[in-house]
């Protein structure tokens, strides 16, 4: 195994971990606080997720000798941000995380459930995801309205660097945010010294609360989004690069690590899609059989980043929330564009997708259940009625 290690894989693993963490940790923090987590609980959740996905990547890549990249569920975190606090507070959200993780394990071990997830119309799943993401994607514009100088500095860094290399666009926005925080915002005296004392944050165990609101508003939409937008595409990326993974054990293992992180506030870990392409491609090594070391290196670095979660969280909270939300929104623009395009591509299902998108994007809860669930229900009913009407017309013809 050590004979397969290479400097090329080392570099790509370091780059993968940096891009994976820097481009979306703001989304995770915003999502966890959005469902009621305190600053300490959000730091604990970020730490648990980063350590879990790092260990999961190491285990799976070493076991399969495939470049299995692992990430936290960024679309799932965006879903949490749009869901808001449910009945039972953050405890109910953690209960939803546990149920979601159990469903992911079950989807990996029990093929009928995996087939049911795959059978969800892609247009509706993408429409729901687009509806979840659009609220955060407004944040960069709101940041400019809040403070034109600071907001434009963040958005400008993203746009200029992204025009040169899209991979570094969000890390550039994050660097601009750090500079804005250092030179453009009055930091309270003693705040930086307090941050230095928050390395290795204590893990906060959250007692889960299991109720209907947590299941329907958190667990089920989080499961669908994680499987449809992360796990299934993650398998596809490996296959595009001529690997033949067995999806079931990979899904089940990510679900197991999600179960381990959930009591500490982590929502879900899953197969990566974007960073998977970095580790599985030729840039990781010319020999496909040696590329798995890139995913292992990335896993080690994710664990290290996780241990710094307390300091990262404390530093971020010194800025006005709208500025870090702007970074999160910039990180999700590409995902929003892709999901929206896929949602409205088919003319036959366009109205059903629009209904799903609008219901989800409204952010309105009915009966304490978030709009993401009702969006899927509304779109599914619309699609079913459309197909029934089409069948009747064909019979008459």
């Amino acid at each position: 195994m050590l004979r397969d290690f290479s400097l090329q894989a080392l570099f790509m693993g370091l780059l993968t971990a940096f891009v994976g963490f820097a481009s979306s940790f703001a989304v995770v923090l915003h999502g966890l606080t959005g469902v009621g987590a305190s600053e300490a609980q959000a730091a604990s959740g970020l730490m648990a997720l980063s350590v879990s996905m790092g260990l999961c990547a190491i285990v799976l890549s070493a076991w399969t000798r495939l470049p299995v990249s692992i990430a936290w569920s960024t679309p799932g975190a965006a879903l949490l941000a749009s869901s808001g606090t449910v009945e039972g507070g953050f405890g109910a959200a953690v209960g939803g995380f546990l149920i979601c993780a159990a469903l992911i394990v079950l989807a990996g071990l029990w093929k009928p459930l995996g087939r049911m997830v795959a059978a969800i119309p892609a247009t509706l799943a993408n429409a729901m995801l687009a509806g979840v993401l659009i609220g955060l994607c407004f944040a960069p514009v709101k940041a400019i309205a809040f403070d034109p100088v600071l907001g434009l500095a963040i958005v400008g860094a993203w746009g200029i660097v992204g025009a040169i290399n899209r991979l570094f666009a969000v890390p550039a926005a994050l660097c601009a945010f750090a500079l804005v925080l250092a030179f453009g915002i009055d930091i309270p005296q003693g705040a930086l010294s307090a941050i230095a004392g928050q390395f290795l944050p204590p893990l906060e165990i959250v007692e889960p609360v299991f109720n209907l609101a947590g299941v329907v508003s958190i667990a089920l939409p989080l499961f669908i989004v994680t499987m449809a937008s992360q796990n299934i595409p993650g398998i596809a990326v490996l296959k595009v690069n001529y690997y033949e993974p067995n999806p079931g054990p990979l899904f089940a293992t990510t679900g197991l690590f999600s179960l381990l992180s959930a009591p500490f506030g982590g929502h879900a870990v899953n197969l990566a899609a974007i960073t998977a392409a970095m580790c599985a491609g030729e840039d990781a090594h010319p020999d496909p059989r040696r590329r798995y070391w890139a995913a292992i290196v990335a896993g080690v670095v994710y664990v290290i980043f996780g241990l710094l979660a307390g300091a990262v969280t404390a530093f971020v909270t010194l800025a006005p929330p709208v500025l870090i939300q702007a970074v999160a929104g910039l990180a999700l623009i590409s995902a929003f564009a892709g999901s929206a395009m896929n949602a409205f591509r088919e003319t036959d299902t366009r109205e059903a997708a629009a209904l799903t998108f609008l219901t989800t994007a409204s952010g309105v809860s009915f009966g304490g259940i978030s709009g993401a669930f009702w969006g899927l229900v509304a779109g599914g009913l619309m699609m079913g009625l459309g197909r029934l009407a089409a069948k009747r017309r064909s019979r008459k013809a």
Side-chain angles (χ1 to χ4, degrees):
M1 181 173 172
L2 288 176
R3 290 180 299 178
D4 294 334
F5 180 78
S6 67
L7 292 177
Q8 195 170 353
L10 173 65
F11 172 78
M12 187 53 61
L14 293 171
L15 180 61
T16 297
F18 173 75
V19 171
F21 189 91
S23 63
S24 56
F25 81 88
V27 185
V28 172
L29 290 176
H30 187 51
L32 293 177
T33 55
V35 288
S38 65
E39 179 183 330
Q41 289 170 332
S44 174
L46 182 65
M47 178 181 182
L49 285 170
S50 192
V51 171
S52 291
M53 69 187 195
L55 294 177
C56 186
I58 295 169
V59 169
L60 285 177
S61 298
W63 172 41
T64 64
R65 302 295 174 92
L66 300 176
V68 183
S69 295
I70 303 296
W72 47 49
S73 179
T74 303
L79 168 71
L80 300 181
S82 67
S83 299
T85 305
V86 298
E87 180 186 353
F90 191 53
V94 169
F97 300 164
L98 288 167
I99 294 172
C100 171
L103 288 173
I104 294 173
V105 173
L106 189 59
L109 299 179
W110 190 48
K111 291 184 179 180
L113 179 58
R115 286 195 292 266
M116 287 174 60
V117 174
I120 295 172
T123 53
L124 297 190
N126 278 289
M128 182 188 74
L129 181 58
V132 164
L133 298 178
I134 191 171
L136 266 177
C137 290
F138 288 142
V141 181
K142 293 179 179 178
I144 294 173
F146 170 77
D147 191 310
V149 175
L150 302 184
L152 282 172
I154 295 171
V155 176
W158 173 81
I160 293 170
V161 175
I164 300 170
N165 190 326
R166 291 175 58 188
L167 190 63
F168 294 101
V170 177
L174 183 62
C175 291
F177 168 81
L179 292 174
V180 162
L181 183 55
F183 300 106
I185 295 173
D186 293 330
I187 298 176
Q189 189 174 3
L192 294 179
S193 60
I195 291 174
Q198 296 195 43
F199 287 97
L200 296 177
L203 288 171
E204 297 258 342
I205 298 178
V206 181
E207 183 177 353
V209 175
F210 298 98
N211 56 26
L212 182 62
V215 172
V216 181
S217 295
I218 302 292
L220 293 181
L222 180 59
F223 170 66
I224 293 170
V225 164
T226 300
M227 291 296 294
S229 64
Q230 293 286 110
N231 276 339
I232 294 175
I235 293 294
V237 170
L238 287 172
K239 289 186 175 181
V240 164
N241 286 278
Y242 308 105
Y243 296 101
E244 293 298 330
N246 184 358
L250 300 186
F251 293 163
T253 304
T254 62
L256 178 61
F257 277 91
S258 295
L259 277 173
L260 296 176
S261 64
F264 304 103
H267 63 289
V269 299
N270 43 245
L271 299 181
I274 296 175
T275 54
M278 297 172 66
C279 289
E282 291 184 0
D283 289 338
H285 199 277
D287 186 351
R289 294 171 297 180
R290 298 177 63 180
R291 294 174 189 167
Y292 69 92
W293 263 106
I296 292 176
V297 170
V300 173
V301 179
Y302 278 137
V303 172
I304 296 171
F305 281 160
L307 299 178
L308 304 176
V312 169
T313 305
F315 181 73
V316 165
T317 54
L318 293 176
V322 70
L323 295 183
I324 193 61
Q325 289 170 19
V327 178
L330 293 171
L332 295 171
I333 287 177
S334 179
F336 168 75
S339 59
M341 181 183 69
N342 291 326
F344 299 112
R345 177 178 294 168
E346 303 293 336
T347 56
D348 293 342
T349 59
R350 195 163 289 166
E351 290 184 350
L355 188 58
T356 298
F357 169 75
L358 293 171
T359 304
T360 303
S362 70
V364 176
S365 298
F366 299 99
I369 297 170
S370 69
F373 174 80
W374 294 119
L376 277 179
V377 171
L381 289 174
M382 186 72 180
M383 184 176 288
L385 289 172
R387 290 176 177 174
L388 183 61
K391 286 183 180 180
R392 289 185 176 180
R393 286 194 297 268
S394 64
R395 287 174 183 173
K396 289 181 180 179

